[in-house]
Amino acid sequence: MAQNTNTMWGGRFSNKPADIMEQINSSIDVDVRFWKQDIQGSKAHCEMLIKQKIISTEDGQKILKGLDQISDEINAGSFEFKTALEDIHMNIESRLKEIIGDVAGRLHTARSRNDQVATDFRLWTRDAIGNLIAKINSLQSTLKSLSNKHAKNVMPGFTHLQAAQPITLGMHMDAYWHMLNRDKSRLEDCSKRLNKCPLGAAALAGTPYPIDRNFTAKKLGFEMPMENTIDAVSARDFANEFLFSCAQTGLHLSRLAEEIILWATPQFGFITLSDQWSTGSSIMPQKKNPDAAELVRGKTGRLNGNLIQLMTVMKGLPLAYNKDLQEDKEPVFDSYETLCLCLDAINGMLDTASFNIDAMKSSAEMGYTTATALADWLVMELDLPFRDAHHVTGMIVKMAENKDCKLDELALTDMQSVENKITNKIFKVLSIRP
Ligand code: ARG
């Protein structure tokens, strides 16, 4: 065999690839991240080959042992990854050959890198979803304890970022708990749909060997083999769903980050971030900046970009495998790592922040936030049509504005000059009670 060609597929080649060809073709820097899943998939495949007597038990055992050794080497950091070997699959297989000799070549019987990579990627994404869900759970429990702790602490609720109606901090935190709960169920849903096994599809058309796809599917924790082998090697909608779920979760975190940033300004003064979660300014000594929250908000751009990247790669790709698909992993790995970081950062910030409940309460008392309650009282107690109640309330608010006082500081007679049926029972809705 010509020595200067790629030993995995170089049979019909007499020259090695150009340097730039090697560079553009290589994905090892990226797909090294799923080396564990690659070994896991190879071991399941090898056990199936033994069971089906496609390879001998003796050869199979050598392969399994060799794969374990590779796993130890990678864990120990002594494995040498080579760009010339393109990707994680060929790096591992080539090392297997160094360790056990030509028997290594039997592992790739009844398999292609196309079903191999699709399997690895699904396994990796399933694990990633599990890790993200654990992080979301942890953030949710921080939010839950904040909403319990502040169930009766009043703050202004906003629409148009104008004080609208009084709410509680607990209720506000609980809103984020629910958003994250939906994010979690989107990830769970994605995990359910991706949980079918591509292995056995080979390049695209299946394989003539008497393989047992149910065995490998079960061994790898998949619900069943993928039904259509062409679809098995070319589908990446699971990755798009994952990217969308990450982007949507990031978007929710970004809204929370934005509120943390606003609330931490001296103008709002609702929240004080701990020193651990703040940074200083090199020129303005008084500054304490919420950089982590700003970065969570900023990183939403990456999460959205990653989704658009893969959707664009996939658009117009003919069936089945095309090398474009190698571009599928980087956005997925990046979104996972970015989202892990954002979830941890928001959790750390919230967990160590102190909420200035007095400032929140006095802010809730500004801006006539009980005006809607006043209008509703006029409807419920005096049977005014809501539109009339709205008008009456508007006049009362204007009166308070002119007198520069709060609504509950107005005299009953003043309010009666606008609507004479008003009684002193109205005062119970004019001031804020949790
Ligand atoms: N590194 C490749 C990828 O990620 C593996 C599959 C290669 N398949 C092929 N037919 N060249 O897509």
Side-chain angles (χ1 to χ4, degrees):
M1 198 195 287
Q3 280 314 297
N4 60 351
T5 63
N6 185 312
T7 51
M8 297 298 161
W9 44 253
R12 64 173 291 218
F13 288 75
S14 42
N15 254 326
K16 73 195 231 343
D19 288 349
I20 300 294
M21 176 60 212
E22 196 170 286
Q23 210 179 314
I24 196 171
N25 206 28
S26 165
S27 60
I28 185 62
D29 291 346
V30 175
D31 56 33
V32 64
R33 283 186 188 71
F34 57 40
W35 68 266
K36 267 194 189 134
Q37 288 77 10
D38 194 66
I39 290 183
Q40 189 187 357
S42 285
K43 287 178 77 172
H45 180 67
C46 180
E47 285 169 32
M48 183 279 293
L49 293 176
I50 300 172
K51 183 181 86 69
Q52 296 299 100
K53 303 196 186 328
I54 299 169
I55 63 173
S56 71
T57 307
E58 197 194 339
D59 288 349
Q61 288 305 333
K62 280 190 198 144
I63 291 171
L64 292 173
K65 249 183 93 191
L67 288 170
D68 283 338
Q69 180 179 329
I70 291 172
S71 184
D72 292 343
E73 288 175 3
I74 300 179
N75 268 325
S78 61
F79 189 98
E80 196 198 334
F81 294 102
K82 296 180 188 139
T83 310
L85 291 168
E86 268 188 59
D87 56 23
I88 188 63
H89 323 294
M90 303 225 279
N91 268 273
I92 289 179
E93 197 181 321
S94 160
R95 177 68 187 134
L96 189 65
K97 190 170 177 196
E98 283 171 10
I99 300 172
I100 64 171
D102 286 344
V103 173
R106 297 199 185 276
L107 172 61
H108 214 52
T109 317
R111 183 176 79 167
S112 152
R113 271 189 296 158
N114 297 352
D115 59 340
Q116 185 179 359
V117 73
T119 305
D120 294 359
F121 201 17
R122 282 171 187 260
L123 286 172
W124 184 91
T125 307
R126 202 178 63 190
D127 292 346
I129 288 175
N131 297 339
L132 285 174
I133 286 176
K135 284 186 191 293
I136 293 177
N137 278 335
S138 154
L139 176 54
Q140 277 187 303
S141 63
T142 303
L143 288 165
K144 182 67 84 190
S145 50
L146 285 173
S147 50
N148 289 339
K149 181 169 170 202
H150 298 292
K152 290 193 163 22
N153 295 133
V154 171
M155 67 173 277
F158 297 91
T159 61
H160 312 266
L161 203 53
Q162 306 282 332
Q165 288 184 286
I167 56 169
T168 66
L169 175 56
M171 186 179 166
H172 199 94
M173 290 292 119
D174 184 58
Y176 283 105
W177 186 94
H178 283 280
M179 295 181 217
L180 286 165
N181 222 37
R182 289 194 298 277
D183 293 331
K184 209 163 67 176
S185 77
R186 256 184 291 272
L187 284 165
E188 281 160 355
D189 197 44
C190 170
S191 188
K192 267 185 228 148
R193 212 172 352 261
L194 69 73
N195 205 28
K196 291 185 180 179
C197 188
L199 212 55
L204 79 163
T207 168
Y209 299 92
I211 58 171
D212 182 348
R213 294 190 65 201
N214 287 315
F215 176 88
T216 34
K218 191 157 173 240
K219 192 94 200 158
L220 295 170
F222 287 110
E223 184 200 331
M224 58 185 278
M226 285 186 79
E227 294 92 333
N228 181 298
T229 57
I230 300 171
D231 181 42
V233 293
S234 62
R236 295 294 185 272
D237 46 299
F238 74 90
N240 284 330
E241 282 190 39
F242 176 78
L243 288 172
F244 173 73
S245 305
C246 289
Q248 180 58 64
T249 311
L251 187 156
H252 284 154
L253 297 183
S254 178
R255 297 184 73 173
L256 178 52
E258 168 65 9
E259 300 206 298
I260 292 174
I261 295 162
L262 277 176
W263 293 1
T265 58
Q267 286 74 11
F268 267 83
F270 286 4
I271 193 172
T272 309
L273 294 178
S274 74
D275 285 357
Q276 274 180 298
W277 289 98
S278 313
T279 53
S281 155
S282 55
I283 180 169
M284 297 165 285
Q286 86 285 10
K287 290 293 287 292
K288 211 173 150 189
N289 295 327
D291 286 24
E294 292 168 74
L295 285 162
V296 167
R297 189 178 58 183
K299 282 177 190 293
T300 316
R302 296 168 74 119
L303 297 172
N304 292 351
N306 287 337
L307 170 64
I308 297 301
Q309 183 191 332
L310 187 55
M311 300 265 283
T312 310
V313 167
M314 297 305 297
K315 177 196 166 296
L317 271 194
L319 299 179
Y321 180 85
N322 300 272
K323 197 64 180 247
D324 316 42
L325 288 175
Q326 184 163 281
E327 290 295 311
D328 59 358
K329 287 170 274 304
E330 207 166 349
V332 169
F333 293 152
D334 184 69
S335 282
Y336 169 70
E337 278 157 28
T338 302
L339 188 56
C340 282
L341 198 57
C342 292
L343 285 163
D344 287 345
I346 288 280
N347 203 353
M349 259 182 285
L350 281 183
D351 200 34
T352 53
S354 49
F355 289 87
N356 310 326
I357 50 178
D358 294 338
M360 286 186 167
K361 179 150 193 292
S362 34
S363 172
E365 281 162 355
M366 284 167 13
Y368 310 109
T369 55
T370 54
T372 313
L374 194 167
D376 289 335
W377 184 90
L378 296 171
V379 172
M380 291 191 286
E381 292 287 321
L382 306 185
D383 199 27
L384 260 59
F386 183 78
R387 283 291 162 224
D388 295 349
H390 188 284
H391 188 74
V392 168
T393 306
M395 289 173 72
I396 294 174
V397 167
K398 197 158 154 203
M399 183 182 277
E401 228 166 34
N402 289 338
K403 291 182 185 267
D404 196 19
C405 70
K406 295 180 186 167
L407 288 176
D408 62 350
E409 287 165 358
L410 284 171
L412 180 61
T413 48
D414 285 336
M415 289 186 271
Q416 284 169 337
S417 72
V418 179
E419 167 54 64
N420 64 10
K421 285 188 284 179
I422 291 177
T423 66
N424 67 357
K425 281 203 252 162
I426 198 163
F427 284 101
K428 77 174 197 293
V429 300
L430 295 183
S431 56
I432 293 172
R433 298 150 294 113

